[in-house]
Amino acid sequence: GVDPPKDPQLPTQKRVFERLRQEHVAFREDCALLANGDLYTHEAISNVDAYTDGVLLARPALLDPSSIFRRSEERLPKLDVLRQYVRYAQRYDAHPKNTKYVVQEMLAKRRHPPDMRGVLRDQLASLPFKHDAVTATKTLGDLAALVGVAATPTSQEPE
């Protein structure tokens, strides 16, 4: 993978990706060239997307999935993102422990670069609960109640 944010200059990134594309095609034509790195905004993703076959976005998606697909001014509040995620977990019968883990990761600071931790701190300050409250939940219903979503029983837990 290529880590584009280490060099924020787009012309330099373009040259790097063009060189990699040439080497890549010479090595193996049927493999995708993916950018992997701390691309935390729609704009940053757009900058490298033109030169690659795709981008990998695990940490940015945990911080704020709405920032990947929306411009900065269109970002959703953190609570809305958490509610949507819990609704999806209920709809697709996700395991409660996995859902809780992902929500906890969405609230954790350890995986994000220092310059993004301020964004997370501001998002967390707007929530009506603390991280410890997520830790205390035992079921998907508990987690749903915490974020303000109607609990829907799943096959993974009793009604």
Side-chain angles (χ1 to χ4, degrees):
V2 176
D3 193 358
K6 301 298 185 228
D7 186 355
Q9 299 172 350
L10 186 58
T12 303
Q13 287 179 356
K14 182 178 178 181
R15 285 195 302 272
V16 167
F17 284 117
E18 287 172 348
R19 181 180 55 77
L20 285 171
R21 171 76 61 204
Q22 290 169 356
E23 293 173 10
H24 173 70
V25 170
F27 175 69
R28 185 165 179 189
E29 195 170 316
D30 61 341
C31 286
L33 178 62
L34 303 174
N36 185 16
D38 295 331
L39 302 169
Y40 280 85
T41 65
H42 177 75
E43 293 79 10
I45 294 165
S46 296
N47 286 343
V48 299
D49 191 40
Y51 312 113
T52 64
D53 297 316
V55 293
L56 304 172
L57 301 168
R59 281 187 303 239
L62 285 172
L63 176 67
D64 185 358
S66 74
S67 69
I68 297 168
F69 303 108
R70 301 168 189 265
R71 300 211 180 279
S72 296
E73 61 276 2
E74 299 169 339
R75 291 167 77 166
L76 297 175
K78 186 65 147 191
L79 186 57
D80 290 354
V81 172
L82 294 171
R83 287 176 174 156
Q84 277 186 337
Y85 179 74
V86 171
R87 282 188 198 108
Y88 285 130
Q90 290 176 326
R91 180 183 307 152
Y92 296 108
D93 207 22
H95 194 282
K97 287 183 181 180
N98 185 60
T99 304
K100 179 178 170 178
Y101 172 80
V102 171
V103 169
Q104 288 174 316
E105 287 298 309
M106 291 172 104
L107 301 176
K109 298 176 188 164
R110 70 177 178 271
R111 298 189 187 274
H112 307 293
D115 61 320
M116 293 307 297
R117 291 181 185 159
V119 171
L120 181 60
R121 184 182 56 249
D122 294 344
Q123 290 176 342
L124 296 179
S126 71
L127 294 176
F129 56 85
K130 300 290 182 205
H131 190 276
D132 293 349
V134 175
T135 305
T137 62
K138 301 293 183 206
T139 66
L140 194 51
D142 293 344
L143 191 54
L146 180 67
V147 299
V149 171
T152 304
T154 69
S155 67
Q156 303 287 335
E157 60 187 15
E159 292 187 37

